[in-house]
Amino acid sequence: MKSTFVPLLLCAGFQSAFAATADQWRGRSIYQIITDRFAAPNGTDPAACQASERTWCGGSWNTIRENLDYVQNAGFTAIWISPVNQNYHGPTSAYGDAYHGYWIADISQLNDRFGTADDLKALSAEVHRRNMYLMVDVVVNNVMATTTTPDYSNYFFKDASLYHQYCPIDWGNTTSEQNCWLGDTKVPLPDVDTQNPTVVSQYGTWIANLVKEYSIDGLRIDAAKHVNIDFWPSFCKSAGVFCIGEVFGGADIEPIAMYQGPQALDSVLNFPLYTALTSAFSIPGPQNMSALTQTFEDSKTKFKDVGLLGNFLENQDLPRWHNLTVDPQSMYNAMTFTFMSDGIPIVYYGQEQYFSGNADPLNREPLWPSKYAKTDAYNLMATLNKFRNFLVNTTDWVHKEAQILTTSPYGMAIMKGPVISIVTNIGSPPQNGTHIAVSSPYLPSTAMVNILTCAQWAVGAKGMLDAQYTLGGVPNILIPLEMLSGSGMCENELGIIAGNGGKAVALDNSSSVNSAASYILSLLLATFGLNFIIN
Ligand SMILES: *[C@@H]1O[C@H](CO)[C@@H](O)[C@H](O)[C@H]1NC(C)=O
Ligand SMILES: *[C@@H]1O[C@H](CO)[C@@H](O)[C@H](O)[C@H]1NC(C)=O
Ligand SMILES: *[C@@H]1O[C@H](CO)[C@@H](O)[C@H](O)[C@H]1NC(C)=O
Ligand SMILES: *[C@@H]1O[C@H](CO)[C@@H](O)[C@H](O)[C@H]1NC(C)=O
Ligand SMILES: *[C@@H]1O[C@H](CO)[C@@H](O)[C@H](O)[C@H]1NC(C)=O
Ligand SMILES: *[C@@H]1O[C@H](CO)[C@@H](O)[C@H](O)[C@H]1NC(C)=O
Ligand SMILES: *[C@@H]1O[C@H](CO)[C@@H](O)[C@H](O)[C@H]1NC(C)=O
């Protein structure tokens, strides 16, 4: 039997650049931007922006547009930008100015700090010209004030009856979390009454227009868990695009998973995975790999669709990864997991520059002092994105559910489609003798390539693959050599890939017919759905 590798050319995810559905987002990878901090206007003093000062540093939709090469060259296929609507612009508050965009005043207007309507349209057009998607952050739950008795005439909803009455949140009481006010008495965030039919209707009209006017492809929804869940289906239907919500949380999956599905949102940010990744990979840290394997398995049964979850290591509310752990291998392994497992990878700007601010406001550093260097982390992201985009563009990889192949106290191997990723938390120092023996479904002698190094690996007896750490705790990503054909990856190192006609030795039984072969093929087909190995 000769097996042939046939790219399916599933390019649907890249065809429509407007109003993208959840399924179109599935294969994307997202770069998260705080508009004020991504790129400085011309002539800015690079030392002038201090995150600790909590004020505007001058980034805009135009400066994002002019610096998209940096994002696209790293292989990202979408950007998520901070909220675009008008913010509080009174005297500096107890917590600084509204440079982050989350302090909403009037959603019927754009935030003129970041540009004009034409500027936002130009950004949207440029993103689409690059075949990328535009995700915009929206704040629906609340507005911002500097007193608990604000004058509502400056807001979109001008009547106090359209807000819940002031009460501080009693954490753990769901009703209170939804109806009371976020913030504190210095900077209260008045809670819009999203149960009020007038509010529901006006929000629906507003979001439909915003999405249409600026050709937005998806929404990231701030504080989604502070809104009654039944508000979301009609809101997102009006938007007509993918909705991913921030349901802030930790290891506990259920309270977050309840916000994904037809009764709520298309998807949520994957806080349980984030929590597990920090448990497993932080150095120092609990180094708890079982927390990761457990979260990984539980997520499959508790979330509606793990393939749509937003996987991240950092965001504007969390400590930078590099603040938790300075060893770069910690981040590289965790990052490999977020890209090669189920879900949509999201990278917060500056992660690739090893920024290390620990919390708001220090984790909102200006990007420009980095000079947009092509660091090792940047290059790793570019490789991960290039590989993932190749799999997304040419196969059904993104619809395959990842499976755990092997666990160890200091690492694990997962397989998604034909790709095996082996991660470890041992960190940079070489450890001779430490290894992870991975039991794979591939036939002995199958030629594999590690796409991170272009080194070739041969599958051993009984399908074993052995990850050695004599060069330190690096991640490994393996795919059968033939399947890399057409990817443009590792071509110099492995000249054999170019023009070999795509012969799939992996499942060619002509030389070593054994009873395991058909079993392994059917296992692959059944378990991993390798439906591009045909004939
Ligand atoms: C091996 O391939 C031949 C055809 O080339 C086929 O008849 C046979 O069933 C295959 N054996 C296994 C174990 O798959
Ligand atoms: C910055 O300067 C360049 C080159 O002069 C110009 O093309 C660009 O429009 C300027 N950008 C902004 C945001 O003013
Ligand atoms: C939960 O919060 C709501 C709103 O503040 C309040 O009416 C209710 O009494 C609280 N429930 C409990 C059990 O404390
Ligand atoms: C590791 O995480 C698991 C799952 O969350 C937990 O049950 C276990 O107690 C943790 N082990 C340690 C040593 O912290
Ligand atoms: C983490 O952040 C804190 C506060 O900014 C800082 O003091 C500390 O040095 C940071 N740690 C690292 C490793 O960067
Ligand atoms: C995937 O397809 C998109 C859109 O056609 C293209 O821009 C991108 O370069 C492709 N990526 C790979 C790795 O083939
Ligand atoms: C570990 O193994 C590497 C490669 O085999 C070798 O170069 C190195 O000397 C070894 N280091 C130690 C401490 O044994």
Side-chain angles (χ1 to χ4, degrees):
M1 183 176 78
K2 286 274 183 278
S3 304
T4 314
F5 171 55
V6 179
L8 286 183
L9 300 173
L10 296 180
C11 295
F14 284 100
Q15 271 163 7
S16 160
F18 306 102
T21 62
D23 208 49
Q24 289 173 307
W25 274 92
R26 195 183 293 274
R28 294 283 161 158
S29 88
I30 304 173
Y31 187 78
Q32 180 194 350
I33 289 173
I34 300 241
T35 299
D36 186 64
R37 299 295 160 88
F38 174 69
N42 290 335
T44 303
D45 168 6
C49 179
Q50 296 300 325
S52 59
E53 289 175 8
R54 307 189 207 221
T55 193
W56 293 280
C57 291
S60 67
W61 299 317
N62 280 341
T63 66
I64 296 175
R65 179 174 46 76
E66 289 167 359
N67 289 280
L68 283 173
D69 280 352
Y70 175 73
V71 180
Q72 192 176 25
N73 290 343
F76 292 96
T77 49
I79 57 169
W80 147 16
I81 60 171
S82 48
V84 298
N85 297 110
Q86 194 203 67
N87 270 220
Y88 168 81
H89 48 73
T92 298
S93 82
Y95 303 126
D97 294 315
Y99 66 91
H100 42 69
Y102 290 94
W103 285 350
I104 294 297
D106 183 355
I107 51 166
S108 71
Q109 299 181 51
L110 292 180
N111 190 334
D112 57 12
R113 285 268 172 189
F114 303 144
T116 64
D118 283 347
D119 296 341
L120 184 52
K121 285 178 189 172
L123 171 60
S124 180
E126 180 59 20
V127 166
H128 292 151
R129 193 187 65 77
R130 293 165 183 262
N131 267 319
M132 296 164 75
Y133 283 169
L134 176 64
M135 174 175 280
V136 168
D137 208 322
V138 294
V139 186
V140 169
N141 174 66
N142 57 267
V143 294
M144 178 273 195
T146 48
T147 156
T148 55
T149 53
D151 169 5
Y152 289 108
S153 64
N154 297 322
Y155 299 85
F156 178 71
F157 295 111
K158 299 188 188 307
D159 192 319
S161 70
L162 300 178
Y163 298 81
H164 289 120
Q165 282 186 1
Y166 172 75
C167 47
I169 289 181
D170 173 19
W171 292 96
N173 172 341
T174 303
T175 313
S176 172
E177 289 182 7
Q178 291 179 354
N179 297 348
C180 290
W181 292 18
L182 286 168
D184 58 19
T185 52
K186 290 181 192 156
V187 177
L189 304 177
D191 198 80
V192 179
D193 182 358
T194 44
Q195 284 108 335
N196 183 305
T198 304
V199 168
V200 170
S201 150
Q202 291 192 20
Y203 263 149
T205 308
W206 165 72
I207 197 63
N209 288 339
L210 188 78
V211 164
K212 191 160 153 270
E213 187 69 10
Y214 301 104
S215 304
I216 294 166
D217 306 299
L219 301 177
R220 182 272 186 186
I221 295 173
D222 191 56
K225 83 165 174 184
H226 296 282
V227 172
N228 46 304
I229 294 191
D230 59 356
F231 173 84
W232 294 123
S234 74
F235 180 81
C236 291
K237 189 158 175 275
S238 300
V241 294
F242 177 57
C243 282
I244 184 166
E246 178 207 24
V247 181
F248 202 98
D252 209 2
I253 298 173
E254 279 97 344
I256 295 175
M258 66 195 270
Y259 283 83
Q260 188 187 32
Q263 81 296 349
L265 298 161
D266 293 320
S267 183
V268 291
L269 294 165
N270 200 347
F271 279 93
L273 180 65
Y274 165 76
T275 308
L277 290 169
T278 56
S279 293
F281 291 104
S282 294
I283 306 171
Q287 299 257 285
N288 188 345
M289 261 310 147
S290 351
L292 181 58
T293 52
Q294 183 154 4
T295 298
F296 176 88
E297 294 297 0
D298 290 352
S299 293
K300 291 183 185 192
T301 57
K302 292 179 177 169
F303 279 111
K304 282 271 173 351
D305 189 341
V306 287
L308 291 177
L309 298 176
N311 296 345
F312 60 90
L313 299 183
E314 298 183 355
N315 67 34
Q316 78 284 2
D317 295 322
L318 297 169
R320 295 282 191 175
W321 192 273
H322 202 62
N323 190 270
L324 301 175
T325 297
V326 291
D327 188 323
Q329 289 302 342
S330 159
M331 183 166 83
Y332 302 159
N333 280 274
M335 207 196 310
T336 296
F337 199 92
T338 60
F339 276 77
M340 301 316 299
S341 184
D342 302 320
I344 301 170
I346 302 176
V347 170
Y348 180 52
Y349 84 97
Q351 184 183 316
E352 72 284 7
Q353 298 295 342
Y354 309 96
F355 282 176
S356 61
N358 79 330
D360 171 8
L362 300 179
N363 54 1
R364 291 123 184 237
E365 303 93 325
L367 186 55
W368 45 96
S370 72
K371 300 194 165 67
Y372 306 90
K374 301 286 165 70
T375 62
D376 288 348
Y378 181 95
N379 291 333
L380 174 61
M381 277 171 205
T383 303
L384 291 170
N385 272 323
K386 186 172 188 187
F387 184 52
R388 189 173 180 278
N389 291 341
F390 163 68
L391 295 168
V392 168
N393 282 8
T394 62
T395 76
D396 199 23
W397 181 79
V398 86
H399 288 104
K400 309 299 179 207
E401 199 169 78
Q403 314 284 337
I404 292 177
L405 291 182
T406 302
T407 60
S408 106
Y410 43 82
M412 67 190 280
I414 56 168
M415 184 162 180
K416 182 174 169 75
V419 181
I420 295 176
S421 302
I422 311 169
V423 291
T424 179
N425 61 10
I426 65 173
S428 292
Q431 291 199 16
N432 293 2
T434 297
H435 70 130
I436 297 178
V438 176
S439 170
S440 89
Y442 287 114
L443 290 179
S445 305
T446 303
M448 310 287 286
V449 181
N450 178 355
I451 62 112
L452 298 177
T453 60
C454 297
Q456 285 202 53
W457 294 39
V459 176
K462 298 188 176 144
M464 296 308 285
L465 285 159
D466 199 33
Q468 302 275 348
Y469 296 110
T470 54
L471 298 175
V474 295
N476 293 290
I477 301 176
L478 304 170
I479 185 167
L481 173 62
E482 281 71 20
M483 291 184 193
L484 213 45
S485 179
S487 68
M489 301 183 75
C490 298
E491 275 176 350
N492 295 338
E493 291 82 353
L494 307 164
I496 185 170
I497 287 180
N500 77 338
K503 189 169 79 80
V505 206
L507 297 164
D508 183 346
N509 79 356
S510 58
S511 53
S512 61
V513 178
N514 61 50
S515 58
S518 63
Y519 166 74
I520 286 170
L521 176 56
S522 57
L523 178 80
L524 281 167
L525 290 172
T527 311
F528 303 108
L530 297 185
N531 58 4
F532 44 84
I533 298 168
I534 59 165
N535 183 6

